[in-house]
Every structure is written in structure tokens, then in C-alpha cells.
Amino acid sequence: MALTIKGIEAAKPRPDKKNGKLKTVRLADGNGLYLEVTETSKLWRARYAFEGKEQMLSLGKYPVVGPKEAREKNFLLRQQISQGINPALERKKEKSLIKEAIKEEKRIARGEAHPLSVEAVALEWLEDVRKRWKQSTYDGEKKRIIKHIITPLGAMRIDEVKPSDVRSLFEKMEAENKFDTLRKIAENTVRIFNFGIAVGKCENNPAYSIWKGLSFRRPDPHRDSVT
């Protein structure tokens, strides 16, 4: 028999006959849904079986979650089970996504780059090669990478960058006759994506095929400089 608001409001834990302590009461609502009544709370729970194992899932506290909403949640839970989905695992995935979203909001508020962004991977690569370069070389390369790679592509996830994005980047420098700069940036773009693959942050190098197709014409000394 379905629970009523009156019955829910009146429900209280019962004294244990052996020790006199208040004992949790479970009131069945039907279809595996019940209300767990303790001294301090009334909690909706759903009991279900998945792959032969009995499991329980919390559906919220009364009165924040009323009986109608609890039944709707229980119905959706049963639908998931019929589709071969374990509601408990889905709940864990949802919580994980929420935690990631909160972390992302805090990261943005602090002005930090996403760990999978082109900016983050490019800076990580720079730190990795820093020990093999002179300080002056490092400073110059970092300045160029920030200007020509991070500024236009930095906010993108490195695993979502397409060859067309890289092509546009290179074409802009080519149109400006910055062939020496283009050569250096093309080489470092390939290296950054190779580094991203090595550290498991992307699977493909969209810069490689574009880089191989570049002619790197001899720069006009009156029109080009490495910047």
C-alpha cells in the first residue's frame, strides 16, 4: 500500500524491546521503494537486484523529496535496470562529472589552463625540454610559442585540435612571409603534439601532415624576421 503524507508525518522509529534504544523503521511504498525512518531523518531508499545481487540506493530525504518525486525516481531507476544499466554505477558517474565540473569552475576562477588544453601541454613540454636548452634559447622559444601557438590555439583541448586548425595557424605566418618563424613554429607544434601523445593527453598529431607539406621557402631578408 502506497504511503500517504499523513502516514509519513506520523512515522517514528520504534523502541527496541531488548535495549530500549530507538530502532530504525522501514515503511514500504511498493515496487522496491521504502521510507527509512530514524530518530533524526526520513530517507527514501530503493531496493533492487542487478545481476543477481541485491542493492540499495538513496533517493533523497523527506520532505525535500516528497512521495511523488520519490516514486518518479524509483520508476526511472527501474527503467535503467531494464536497459541493463546499474543505477548505482550511474550515480557514481554523475557524482564524478559534478566534481569535475566544480574543479573546472575553480580552475577557471584561478585563471589556470585546463590540463588538456594546448596551453597546458605546450607549457609542460617547454618545462620538459628546458633542462636541455640554454636560458636564452628557452626564453626565445617560449615567447614565440606563446605568441604563435598558445595565443590562437591555447584554450582548445589538445585532443580536439584538427589539422585544419593547424593549417590556418601556419597559413597566417606564410601569408605574412614569416618563413623562418613558420619553420620553427611548425617544428615545435609537431613536438608539442608528440609530447601530448607520449603523456597520454592526445592520440593523434594533427600538425604532422601539415608540417610535412610545407615548402619552407627561403625568407626574404628584407621582409622576414624570426618573431
Side-chain angles (χ1 to χ4, degrees), residues 127-143:
E127 283 302 307
D128 185 66
V129 298
R130 184 174 191 167
K131 54 185 175 287
R132 300 194 294 274
W133 289 351
K134 293 180 180 179
Q135 186 62 43
S136 58
T137 301
Y138 171 81
D139 292 339
E141 292 301 324
K142 183 175 182 179
K143 183 179 178 181

Side-chain angles (χ1 to χ4, degrees), residues 118-119 143-155 169:
V118 172
E119 177 182 357
K143 183 179 178 181
R144 274 190 289 276
I145 286 168
I146 290 173
K147 180 178 179 180
H148 297 292
I149 299 175
I150 291 177
T151 297
L153 298 179
L169 186 74

Side-chain angles (χ1 to χ4, degrees), residues 117-119 146 148-158 161-162 165-166 169 189 193:
S117 67
V118 172
E119 177 182 357
I146 290 173
H148 297 292
I149 299 175
I150 291 177
T151 297
L153 298 179
M156 295 182 68
R157 284 177 57 115
I158 195 166
V161 176
K162 300 176 182 177
D165 299 316
V166 179
L169 186 74
T189 303
F193 277 95

Side-chain angles (χ1 to χ4, degrees), residues 54-66:
E54 188 174 279
Q55 300 187 44
M56 289 193 296
L57 201 64
S58 171
L59 300 183
K61 288 184 178 182
Y62 177 87
V64 176
V65 176

Side-chain angles (χ1 to χ4, degrees), residues 65-104:
V65 176
K68 182 181 178 182
E69 186 180 354
R71 289 167 192 144
E72 289 173 351
K73 287 185 175 185
N74 188 50
F75 177 75
L76 292 174
L77 179 148
R78 306 296 158 182
Q79 281 188 320
Q80 288 180 320
I81 295 169
S82 68
Q83 295 166 6
I85 299 170
N86 187 338
L89 291 180
E90 284 300 297
R91 176 76 62 84
K92 287 181 180 179
K93 289 178 184 178
E94 289 172 6
K95 287 183 177 179
S96 178
L97 289 173
I98 291 171
K99 285 182 180 179
E100 285 299 316
I102 292 172
K103 284 173 63 177
E104 178 68 3

Side-chain angles (χ1 to χ4, degrees), residues 11-25 37-39:
K12 294 180 180 180
R14 298 168 186 165
D16 191 306
K17 293 181 180 179
K18 293 182 180 179
N19 55 32
K21 293 182 180 180
L22 292 176
K23 188 177 180 181
T24 299
V25 171
V37 182
T38 68
E39 188 176 2

Side-chain angles (χ1 to χ4, degrees), residues 105-124:
E105 288 178 1
K106 289 181 178 179
R107 181 196 62 75
I108 292 172
R110 292 193 298 266
E112 297 174 358
H114 190 284
L116 289 179
S117 67
V118 172
E119 177 182 357
V121 178
L123 293 177
E124 190 178 345

